Amino acid sequence: MNQKNKKLDNFFSPNGQGAFIKDPVTGDKIDFIHIAATIDAILSNTPVPDSWAGWAGDLHTALGDLQENTKDSNKLKVLQKEAKNIIGGNSSFSRDDILADVDAVNIANMMRENKNLLLSDAIKKYYSKSGDVHHRFSEFIESFGGTKKFKESVDRNLTKVDVHIKIGKADVTPISLMAPLAEKNLKNTESRQIIKLKQ
């Protein structure tokens, strides 16, 4: 693209004007390049599971932060406390990543449901005043079939990489520890968004 259209390349560069979308709910910047890449992975036919290109991949990467920040601790309370800081915090699974991943899944689902819906139209509809962005986290969780199914998906997606931590006699995946925290974080964020909307 750089050779053919320098203006377009600059527009979508990491610091370009097209690299971000302003979230109509929070006012934060959302990484459009992240959203577009995740939507492409979800809608494309690849051997890599859809979720690994988005939320599950980011959550898996956050395991490295968890291990590093806790110095490979195997104490459940230490892991849970740090997981709360990592998910949506200053980590490889930041708030920006969560928003981009959740929105990408929701937009991709819109496009799966309506094969004639263009990406540009899906984005306009999603981020409109009456769009699904205003209840993004419930849409995301419901796309799995509810909270229980989402937790199962978290475990299924990330236990395939065979990462386990010994906690006493128990052998658990770090994701099993983080899934309830992620859900709590998402619910708290959505509650704050609803309160912000009512003001």
Side-chain angles (χ1 to χ4, degrees), residues 124-143:
K124 284 179 195 170
K125 184 176 178 181
Y126 183 79
Y127 289 108
S128 70
K129 286 184 180 184
S130 60
D132 289 343
V133 69
H134 298 284
H135 45 94
R136 61 168 43 112
F137 296 112
S138 3
E139 282 289 317
F140 176 76
I141 296 294
E142 285 307 310
S143 74

Side-chain angles (χ1 to χ4, degrees), residues 50-63:
D50 298 351
S51 56
W52 286 13
W55 67 268
D58 286 339
L59 191 53
H60 181 268
T61 303
L63 291 177

Side-chain angles (χ1 to χ4, degrees), residues 1-14 33:
M1 180 167 56
N2 192 7
Q3 303 274 335
K4 293 183 180 182
N5 192 331
K6 188 138 179 89
K7 282 185 179 180
L8 189 59
D9 183 53
N10 288 337
F11 185 77
F12 286 111
S13 70
I33 297 167

Side-chain angles (χ1 to χ4, degrees), residues 77-142:
K77 289 188 186 231
V78 171
L79 292 167
Q80 287 176 329
K81 182 179 178 185
E82 187 56 28
K84 286 180 185 179
N85 293 329
I86 288 172
I87 299 170
N90 187 16
S91 72
S92 58
F93 198 31
S94 67
R95 178 181 167 83
D96 293 344
D97 283 326
I98 291 173
L99 295 178
D101 289 336
V102 167
D103 289 354
V105 167
N106 292 340
I107 292 167
N109 285 337
M110 289 170 63
M111 295 176 70
R112 280 182 173 155
E113 290 170 11
N114 181 353
K115 302 285 186 206
N116 297 321
L117 187 62
L118 299 173
L119 176 59
S120 57
D121 293 333
I123 288 170
K124 284 179 195 170
K125 184 176 178 181
Y126 183 79
Y127 289 108
S128 70
K129 286 184 180 184
S130 60
D132 289 343
V133 69
H134 298 284
H135 45 94
R136 61 168 43 112
F137 296 112
S138 3
E139 282 289 317
F140 176 76
I141 296 294
E142 285 307 310

Side-chain angles (χ1 to χ4, degrees), residues 182-193:
E183 178 187 304
K184 180 182 176 194
N185 194 331
L186 294 176
K187 282 183 181 176
N188 287 343
T189 303
E190 190 157 319
S191 296
R192 284 193 299 272
Q193 288 177 357

